[in-house]
Amino acid sequence: MSDNNQPRIVVIGGGTGMPVLLRGLKNYPILLTALVTVADDGGSTGRLRQDMAIPAPGDIRNVIAAMSEVEPMLIQLFQHRFSVGNELSGHSLGNLLLAAMTSITGDFYTGIKEISRVLNVKGKIYPISNENISLRAEMADGSFVVGESNIPLAGKEIHRVYLEPTDVKPLPNALTAIERADLIVISPGSLFTSIMPNLIIPQIADALRSAKAKIVYVCNVMTQAGETTGFSAGDHVQAIINHIGEDIIDAIVVHSEKIDPKVRDRYAGENSEPVEYDIERLLDMGLQIIEGDIIDHSKTTIRHDTGKIAKLLYSLIAK
């Protein structure tokens, strides 16, 4: 446990799944740290990366919004995306602020720290690396795809993903956070393009392997076309094992309730279906299975429920 007896929870990830976990967890008496992917290269983020050669700000922006405790209007402003047909179109104000703060401080991480202070962020946010990195994929047919945003569009089965440059250095604070954690959570999100870019940094994989903390993977509720089509929960875990080795994940959180047929049908139109929980296989992998009704039933899209998932994760260390 940490100095002031509050347990340390580290959440690793990116994409849409990670902020949902953080928004709920920040309300608990814990020391919360988010380690966030910087491999994104689509939209506003991609343009800023090209123009300014900075790591990707998009996922970081969403995490800052989730962990911030300020007036809702300020968050709305931070998350605002310009839509007019000019140079600003498609850019989000938060991304521009992160780019500006990086220019002012001369360093991406310092820029994040300053904006976190201004927006009263509860907890710490670290980019997994301070470097400008690119994600690449080798497909099952032997072809290669360059760029996080292009990988799901290839419509092929992904064999593996890797980073360019290959010798990416993680932020030292990220390694320290993993080492000192009481619970490490791998967030839901796009498996190969939001989650994996964090885990495959060699020193991060090593830190996870030697971490004292229990490592819990919150499995996606739905498959994602172009990334995890037809994947069961076991397939998600196996993909992580294939990239970083066995005996890293201790437990998996799965959604145990049926999905509303109307919602299922709409997702089927996007070639997405509920992830099947192959319980026997997960047990054979030596995982503890943590089941619960963890989605937000009030929404027409399937998202983890902020309150339910945070409560469940906090219960793992509140013993």
Side-chain angles (χ1 to χ4, degrees):
M1 289 280 179
S2 62
D3 320 329
N4 61 1
N5 289 333
Q6 287 193 337
R8 298 174 184 274
I9 297 187
V10 171
V11 181
I12 305 177
T16 52
M18 188 178 193
V20 175
L21 265 58
L22 297 168
R23 204 170 290 121
L25 281 170
K26 74 175 179 192
N27 301 317
Y28 284 89
I30 58 173
L31 296 176
L32 182 59
T33 302
L35 307 183
V36 192
T37 179
V38 288
D40 180 17
D41 63 6
S44 164
T45 285
R47 284 158 61 198
L48 287 171
R49 284 188 65 171
Q50 256 175 339
D51 297 346
M52 298 186 60
I54 59 171
D59 290 280
I60 297 269
R61 184 193 81 243
N62 289 328
V63 165
I64 289 173
M67 290 170 70
S68 164
E69 300 201 312
V70 289
E71 290 296 319
M73 180 53 84
L74 202 51
I75 294 302
Q76 207 180 331
L77 182 67
F78 185 68
Q79 290 286 52
H80 177 70
R81 196 176 285 282
F82 296 96
S83 56
V84 278
N86 60 25
E87 291 299 304
L88 283 177
S89 64
H91 273 310
S92 102
L93 185 62
N95 285 356
L96 295 172
L97 287 173
L98 280 163
M101 201 58 103
T102 301
S103 290
I104 292 169
T105 61
D107 174 77
F108 185 57
Y109 165 57
T110 312
I112 293 167
K113 205 163 64 174
E114 288 304 313
I115 286 195
S116 296
R117 210 165 48 90
V118 172
L119 288 179
N120 195 22
V121 160
K122 188 160 178 243
K124 292 194 163 62
I125 299 172
Y126 299 129
I128 200 83
S129 171
N130 226 356
E131 297 175 39
N132 199 350
I133 54 183
S134 152
L135 186 68
R136 297 163 184 237
E138 181 186 349
M139 302 311 209
D141 66 359
S143 62
F144 290 85
V145 178
V146 177
E148 174 270 346
S149 55
N150 298 321
I151 293 168
L153 303 177
K156 297 175 173 181
E157 187 187 328
I158 300 167
H159 171 56
R160 70 181 179 107
V161 289
Y162 61 100
L163 296 169
E164 199 65 51
T166 48
D167 58 347
V168 176
K169 296 280 176 289
L171 202 68
N173 305 38
L175 295 174
T176 308
I178 289 171
E179 194 182 304
R180 298 172 69 185
D182 296 305
L183 178 70
I184 297 169
V185 182
I186 299 172
S187 84
S190 302
L191 181 63
F192 290 101
T193 55
S194 290
I195 308 307
M196 221 65 97
N198 301 298
L199 308 180
I200 59 178
I201 296 175
Q203 284 171 273
I204 294 288
D206 292 344
L208 289 171
R209 196 168 289 111
S210 52
K212 303 183 302 288
K214 179 178 201 161
I215 300 179
V216 181
Y217 170 51
V218 180
C219 191
N220 293 341
V221 180
M222 303 296 285
T223 62
Q224 185 178 355
E227 284 210 31
T228 54
T229 306
F231 269 42
S232 66
D235 291 328
H236 281 75
V237 175
Q238 189 59 50
I240 295 174
I241 290 172
N242 293 347
H243 281 77
I244 61 169
E246 290 184 11
D247 301 327
I248 288 183
I249 298 173
D250 301 306
I252 183 168
V253 175
V254 295
H255 174 65
S256 57
E257 301 291 311
K258 288 274 179 275
I259 307 276
D260 178 342
K262 285 199 286 292
V263 177
R264 278 184 76 134
D265 291 347
R266 205 182 46 261
Y267 271 86
E270 298 165 22
N271 292 328
S272 173
E273 59 192 11
V275 169
E276 177 203 329
Y277 298 122
D278 36 1
I279 304 289
E280 292 304 315
R281 182 174 169 203
L282 294 172
L283 290 172
D284 284 347
M285 289 172 153
L287 296 177
Q288 176 194 357
I289 299 172
I290 303 163
E291 296 181 82
D293 174 10
I294 49 172
I295 65 167
D296 183 345
H297 294 281
S298 68
K299 291 197 165 46
T300 51
T301 50
I302 291 179
R303 290 273 177 273
H304 283 89
D305 181 292
T306 301
K308 292 179 192 169
I309 191 73
K311 186 177 176 186
L312 187 145
L313 292 170
Y314 181 69
S315 74
L316 300 179
I317 47 161
K319 305 279 182 287

